Amino acid sequence: MRIHSDKNQKWDMARNVSAEDRKLRSTSNETKAHTLRSEAIKGFHSIGVDFAKSDLDEYVSSVLDGRDYRFVITF
C-alpha cells in the first residue's frame, strides 16, 4: 500500500501506521474477516490513510494469513 505523507511528518506517519498494524494483528486471531476489515478502515482513516479497496482486501488477507505486508510512505 502506497501512503502519501507530508515530508515533515513522514516519521510520525510511519510510527502511526506501524502501531495500527500491530494493533490489528494482535486481535486478528479473535476477529472475523469482516470485523477486521471494518477495524482497519476505521483505524487507518483515523490516522489519515486512504486506500483502494484492492489494497484493503490484500492487507486484511495478509493479516489473517500471518503474512507481512509492505507499506510504502511517499512524500
Side-chain angles (χ1 to χ4, degrees):
M1 178 184 311
R2 193 171 285 276
I3 301 167
H4 184 75
S5 176
D6 181 87
K7 186 176 182 178
N8 297 326
Q9 298 176 348
K10 65 184 178 210
W11 297 115
D12 289 336
M13 179 61 78
R15 281 189 287 276
N16 290 340
V17 167
S18 178
E20 190 61 37
D21 181 51
R22 277 194 309 272
K23 182 180 88 172
L24 291 167
R25 287 180 184 275
S26 71
T27 62
S28 66
N29 291 337
E30 311 151 358
T31 308
K32 295 181 181 185
H34 69 277
T35 304
L36 183 62
R37 188 175 193 283
S38 297
E39 291 298 316
I41 290 169
K42 284 193 303 189
F44 284 113
H45 277 262
S46 73
I47 60 173
V49 176
D50 292 319
F51 38 77
K53 182 185 180 310
S54 59
D55 287 338
L56 177 62
D57 292 342
E58 187 177 327
Y59 173 72
V60 169
S61 175
S62 73
V63 170
L64 292 173
D65 293 343
R67 293 181 284 118
D68 288 338
Y69 187 82
R70 182 169 298 212
F71 295 94
V72 177
I73 298 177
T74 62
F75 49 89

